[in-house]
Amino acid sequence: MTEEHDGAKLATVVIFGASGDLTQRKLIPALFNLYCKDRLPAEFNIVGFAHTGFSDEAFREHLQEGMQQFAAENYEAAAWASFARRLWYVPGSFDKPDDYAALQAKLATLEDGAADRLYYLATAPRFFPVIARQLGAAGMARSDQATRQLIVEKPFGSDLASARELTQALHEVFDEGQIYRIDHFLGKETAQNILFLRFANTLFELGWNRDHIANVQITVAEQVDVGHRAGYYDQAGILRDMFQNHLLQLLALAAMEPPISFAADAIRDEKVKLLASIRPIAPEDVALHTVRGQYEGYRDAPGVAADSQTATYAAVRLFIDNWRWQGVPFYLRSGKALAQKATEILVEFRCPPHLMFPLAPGQMIESNILSLCIQPDEGVHFKFQAKVPDTVAQMRPVNMEFHYDDTFGQTVIPDAYERLLFDAIAGDKTLFTRSDGIENAWRFIDPILEGWSSPAAPPLATYARDSWGPGAAEELLRQDGHSWLLTCGQHD
C-alpha cells in the first residue's frame, strides 16, 4: 500500500446516493481528513448525485452539518471553507438516462479535459446494477485517456447465486480490475496490523500452526440492537450481515499463508485460498456445528415479523483443511444486544506437554493466550505464566500489553473509510475483496443458511440483552474442552 500519491491525477469522486447517511457520516469526513493531510490530488472535485433536490450550496451546508455533528474533532472552519469549494451536486434518478447526461455535462465542465474518476455507489444494493448499466450506456465507464473506478458497498449479494448475478451485471460494464468491493472492517488499522504481527515478527509465525495452537476464537460483538435497521435486518440476519463478510475476512487474515509480497494480488490470492480451504458444513449437520439465537424483545421492533425466526446471534465451529490448520477448531461468534462492544481474534495455545512444576491439588495450568483486539481496545495482549515471588513453585498468569493509544497517541488511528478511500484513489486494491473471495465465502455460508431453514436447524434460543448470547454457544465449545474467552476491554 503506497503512502503517497506521487503523480496521481484522479480529479473527480462521484458519489451516488450522496444525500444519504453514509456520505454525511463517513465519506465526506474521510475525504476531508485526507484533504487536510494533503493526500488528495492537487486538483480534485467531489460530485454528489441523488434524488434529493439540493443545489450546490445546499449540498455543502448539508455536509458541513454532518462534519460538525459526526466528526467535530476534525472540523476546522478555514480548511472546510477551502474543501467545500470542491463539492458539487447534480440531482437525478438512478434509472434515467437524461440525468446521467446532465451529470456528464457537469463533470465535463469541472474536469476541463481528461481526468480519472472514482464512482462510489453509496446506495441500496438494488441500485448497483442499475447505476453500472447507466454509466455504461452514457459512455462514462471507460476512457482511453483516464481511469474509471467503481466502489461497491456491501452486501455483495444475499447468497452465492445473487452474488454471481451482481458480479455478472457489473462485469457487463466494468472489468474486475476497475471494481473495488469495500468492507470497512478491512480498513481498520488494527485489522491491517494482523499481517504485520504475523509476518514481521518471527516469534509468532513459528508457532502459528496446529502443533502449537489449541483453538482460535473470533468475536465481533455489538452492544447495540438492530435499531432503525430492523426491517432490513429481519430479511438478512446475522450470517448475512456479519459472518459472510466481516468474520470470514478476519479469519482469512488470521489463518492465511504468507504471501510472496505485500502486493495486492499476492495478499488476496492467499486469502482466497484460505477461504476455499474451509471445510463445508452440510445442511443436515448445522445443529452439530452452529448455534443461533435471538435477543429478547427483537420481535417488538418496527418492521420485524411477530413470529420472526431471524437470528441476531450466531456461533459457528469450523475447520480448515490444509497442512497448517488441520484439526484446529476455529470458533466464530457475533451478535446484537450483547454485553459489550468488542472485536477480537483470540489464539489459545496448547498447554505444555509435560509440566515439571508441582501444582496444588485441583490446580490447572492456564494456556498462553494471544489476543488481537481490533476494537474498541485497540492493541495486542499476551498472557503467560510467571512464578509468584516468595513461593516455591506457585505460578500465576500475567499479561504483556500493547495499546495503540499509549504508544502512538489517541488521535493517530484513522477511520476505516479514510484508509480505504486513500487506497482506492491510489489504485491499491490490497484491502478490497475480489469476486472469487466473495464467492468462496458464500459457498461456506449458503449451506448453513439452508440448514437453518430446514428441520435440521438448531433451536432458535432466546437470550437476554446485555448477556453474551445463548448458553448453547458455551456448550458448543465445552464439547471440545474449551470455553469462550475475551481479552478486549478486560484490562485497565
Side-chain angles (χ1 to χ4, degrees):
M1 291 174 284
T2 58
E3 292 300 324
E4 300 296 339
H5 295 160
D6 296 336
K9 62 174 182 175
L10 183 134
T12 310
V13 177
V14 182
I15 303 175
F16 291 89
S19 61
D21 189 64
L22 176 63
T23 301
Q24 191 185 47
R25 283 176 174 265
K26 293 293 185 180
L27 302 186
I28 291 303
L31 288 165
F32 177 67
N33 288 345
L34 290 173
Y35 173 74
C36 292
K37 295 175 181 178
D38 198 26
R39 291 182 176 177
L40 293 179
E43 297 297 328
F44 71 93
N45 290 287
I46 300 169
V47 180
F49 183 90
H51 296 280
T52 306
F54 283 136
S55 64
D56 290 335
E57 190 55 39
F59 183 55
R60 292 166 183 168
E61 291 176 359
H62 170 72
L63 297 181
Q64 183 180 25
E65 291 172 1
M67 279 295 306
Q68 293 171 328
Q69 180 178 357
F70 304 118
E73 68 279 5
N74 296 322
Y75 179 78
E76 199 279 318
W80 176 262
S82 175
F83 176 79
R85 290 195 292 268
R86 318 294 187 97
L87 300 173
W88 310 91
Y89 189 82
V90 177
S93 297
F94 300 140
D95 58 351
K96 292 185 177 180
D98 289 348
D99 292 340
Y100 285 80
L103 175 62
Q104 175 70 335
K106 179 80 166 185
L107 295 176
T109 301
L110 294 173
E111 292 169 343
D112 192 25
D116 294 346
R117 292 181 193 166
L118 179 65
Y119 300 120
Y120 199 116
L121 306 191
T123 69
R126 67 180 184 276
F127 293 118
F128 295 168
V130 176
I131 296 171
R133 288 170 180 140
Q134 290 290 349
L135 287 171
M140 300 170 67
R142 299 184 184 277
S143 171
D144 294 333
Q145 300 172 299
T147 65
R148 299 288 183 262
Q149 299 166 184
L150 183 77
I151 292 187
V152 182
E153 276 275 350
K154 79 169 190 74
F156 312 115
S158 58
D159 53 23
L160 178 58
S162 59
R164 284 174 168 169
E165 289 175 5
L166 174 60
T167 297
Q168 183 177 355
L170 297 179
H171 283 175
E172 290 174 4
V173 182
F174 293 91
D175 295 332
E176 178 65 23
Q178 295 177 272
I179 301 171
Y180 292 68
R181 295 173 185 82
I182 194 168
D183 182 340
H184 73 273
F185 257 55
L186 297 182
K188 293 181 181 295
E189 195 73 35
T190 42
Q192 299 167 49
N193 192 50
I194 296 169
L195 295 183
F196 289 84
L197 180 83
R198 289 189 56 196
F199 303 130
N201 299 286
T202 309
L203 172 66
F204 298 115
E205 188 59 20
L206 287 175
W208 211 258
N209 54 59
R210 67 186 187 280
D211 294 330
H212 301 282
I213 292 176
N215 71 90
V216 179
Q217 302 176 20
I218 302 179
T219 297
V220 179
E222 297 183 282
Q223 199 166 19
V224 299
D225 59 20
V226 295
H228 68 278
R229 299 176 68 230
Y232 157 77
Y233 198 91
D234 204 43
Q235 301 300 313
I238 190 68
L239 288 178
R240 291 187 176 94
D241 191 50
M242 297 299 290
F243 277 72
Q244 185 275 334
N245 39 73
H246 299 333
L247 275 92
L248 289 185
Q249 288 297 321
L250 291 177
L251 171 69
L253 291 172
M256 62 186 273
E257 293 298 316
I260 60 172
S261 73
F262 203 49
D265 279 341
I267 291 174
R268 297 198 298 174
D269 285 347
E270 294 302 334
K271 288 171 63 179
V272 170
K273 285 164 58 178
L274 188 283
L275 293 172
S277 301
I278 300 175
R279 185 185 304 170
I281 298 175
E284 60 270 20
D285 294 332
V286 290
L288 298 176
H289 299 288
T290 72
V291 172
R292 60 188 187 122
Q294 186 183 91
Y295 65 79
E296 294 176 350
Y298 168 74
R299 295 176 183 176
D300 298 330
V304 174
D307 59 349
S308 174
Q309 294 296 299
T310 298
T312 62
Y313 176 97
V316 175
R317 172 176 54 204
L318 62 83
F319 294 89
I320 297 171
D321 287 331
N322 65 16
W323 189 275
R324 180 187 293 262
W325 296 114
Q326 194 68 36
V328 177
F330 285 73
Y331 304 107
L332 280 56
R333 65 172 170 171
S334 183
K336 295 281 190 180
L338 296 179
Q340 71 177 68
K341 179 179 180 179
T343 300
E344 176 181 270
I345 300 172
L346 184 144
V347 179
E348 182 175 8
F349 290 88
R350 296 187 184 280
C351 290
H354 171 69
L355 188 63
M356 55 184 274
F357 307 106
L359 295 177
Q363 182 182 358
M364 300 289 292
I365 188 170
E366 295 187 31
S367 303
N368 297 151
I369 301 290
L370 178 67
S371 303
L372 314 182
C373 298
I374 311 299
Q375 65 175 14
D377 177 28
E378 293 92 350
V380 180
H381 305 266
F382 182 60
K383 184 176 79 173
F384 61 96
Q385 298 296 322
K387 178 182 176 293
V388 176
D390 200 26
T391 68
V392 175
Q394 186 178 347
M395 64 186 75
R396 191 177 75 188
V398 295
N399 291 280
M400 294 174 61
E401 302 178 8
F402 153 65
H403 297 268
Y404 271 80
D405 284 354
D406 295 341
T407 303
F408 299 114
Q410 297 184 1
T411 61
V412 169
I413 301 178
D415 181 80
Y417 280 96
E418 183 179 332
R419 178 78 240 187
L420 293 168
L421 283 166
F422 176 82
D423 285 352
I425 289 170
D428 186 339
K429 304 183 77 172
T430 304
L431 300 179
F432 296 85
T433 53
R434 211 165 57 190
S435 61
D436 50 355
I438 296 294
E439 291 188 8
N440 280 337
W442 278 121
R443 285 191 186 96
F444 176 70
I445 294 296
D446 271 6
I448 301 177
L449 288 169
E450 180 183 345
W452 278 14
S453 300
S454 75
L460 181 64
T462 301
Y463 62 94
R465 289 172 176 267
D466 299 321
S467 71
W468 280 109
E474 279 293 346
E475 180 59 30
L476 182 69
L477 272 67
R478 194 175 296 118
Q479 295 169 4
D480 302 329
H482 304 303
S483 62
W484 288 109
L485 303 170
L486 192 72
T487 299
C488 185
Q490 305 300 301
H491 297 274
D492 295 327

